[in-house]
Amino acid sequence: MLKKLLLLFLIALIVIQFFHPKRNISLASQPNNIATAHTVPAEVKTILDKACLDCHSNNTRYRWYFKIQPLNWWLTNHISEGKKGLNFDEYTHRPLRYQYHKLEKIAEQVSDGEMPLSSYTWTHKDARLTAAEKKTLIDWTTQLRNEMKAKYPKDSLKRPQRLPEQKSK
């Protein structure tokens, strides 16, 4: 009985190797990329390329292990979730409040060591950020938020506070 179960498991493992999800690769230009609205210095672009854009853009660098199922399904789902949270290639397509908030979240999560994810840096050693790289990203997002504050009315950057009686509705 155990041999039959192991054989069935092996056959299933072989069969799923032929089913792969659509890849996160876009050959089209990215007109809503963050770089179309904000200056992205070379050192920031380097950090984003190595530590962020595989999961937070429309283009993922696929390594050899993406060919192995079910790992590919798990990683593809991970990329999809990352893009839902923040997609640098769709950044300017979103409202100013969203853009401003995401800049705050980037600084907060990088500062707290939440990004890049440890599951990502485990296989991508080069994506581990040094203290200097973290400072560079945080300073950049702070600068962009300050530019947005100077350029746009305050109420376009922050969600209005709801009054206590509105919250209960």
Side-chain angles (χ1 to χ4, degrees):
M1 179 67 170
L2 183 60
K3 284 184 181 184
K4 285 183 182 182
L5 284 175
L6 287 174
L7 182 61
L8 185 61
F9 177 74
L10 182 61
I11 290 170
L13 196 59
I14 291 169
V15 168
I16 67 172
Q17 299 310 310
F18 295 100
F19 298 95
H20 294 274
K22 184 180 178 205
R23 289 185 171 229
N24 182 43
I25 296 177
S26 175
L27 300 177
S29 67
Q30 303 297 325
N32 297 313
N33 186 286
I34 192 169
T36 62
H38 301 290
T39 301
V40 181
E43 62 273 11
V44 171
K45 181 166 179 4
T46 300
I47 296 167
L48 293 175
D49 284 343
K50 77 176 191 167
C52 308
L53 297 181
D54 275 347
C55 295
H56 297 287
S57 77
N58 291 334
N59 287 293
T60 299
R61 294 172 298 164
Y62 286 90
R63 299 205 167 60
W64 64 270
Y65 48 82
F66 271 89
K67 294 179 181 173
I68 301 169
Q69 294 296 25
L71 185 60
N72 187 343
W73 290 328
W74 179 74
L75 293 169
T76 299
N77 182 62
H78 190 75
I79 292 165
S80 176
E81 291 298 315
K83 285 174 60 174
K84 273 189 220 172
L86 170 64
N87 185 341
F88 285 105
D89 287 335
E90 300 298 330
Y91 180 81
T92 64
H93 188 63
R94 304 296 297 266
L96 289 173
R97 283 183 183 103
Y98 170 90
Q99 295 176 35
Y100 187 83
H101 175 70
K102 288 302 173 179
L103 291 171
E104 285 179 318
K105 291 301 283 181
I106 291 168
E108 178 184 306
Q109 290 181 327
V110 167
S111 176
D112 293 346
E114 294 174 17
M115 284 289 161
L117 294 175
S118 57
S119 59
Y120 184 77
T121 58
W122 185 68
T123 55
H124 301 85
K125 305 286 187 217
D126 63 320
R128 291 182 181 152
L129 300 179
T130 65
E133 289 170 326
K134 287 180 181 184
K135 183 179 181 330
T136 298
L137 271 181
I138 292 166
D139 290 349
W140 175 67
T141 60
T142 301
Q143 175 191 343
L144 293 183
R145 287 194 337 264
N146 289 337
E147 288 173 11
M148 290 178 80
K149 284 182 200 175
K151 186 175 181 180
Y152 301 109
K154 184 179 180 180
D155 63 343
S156 66
L157 301 177
K158 294 278 191 172
R159 176 172 281 159
Q161 292 294 319
R162 297 169 79 186
L163 298 173
E165 62 271 5
Q166 290 177 319
K167 289 181 182 180
S168 61
K169 291 182 180 178

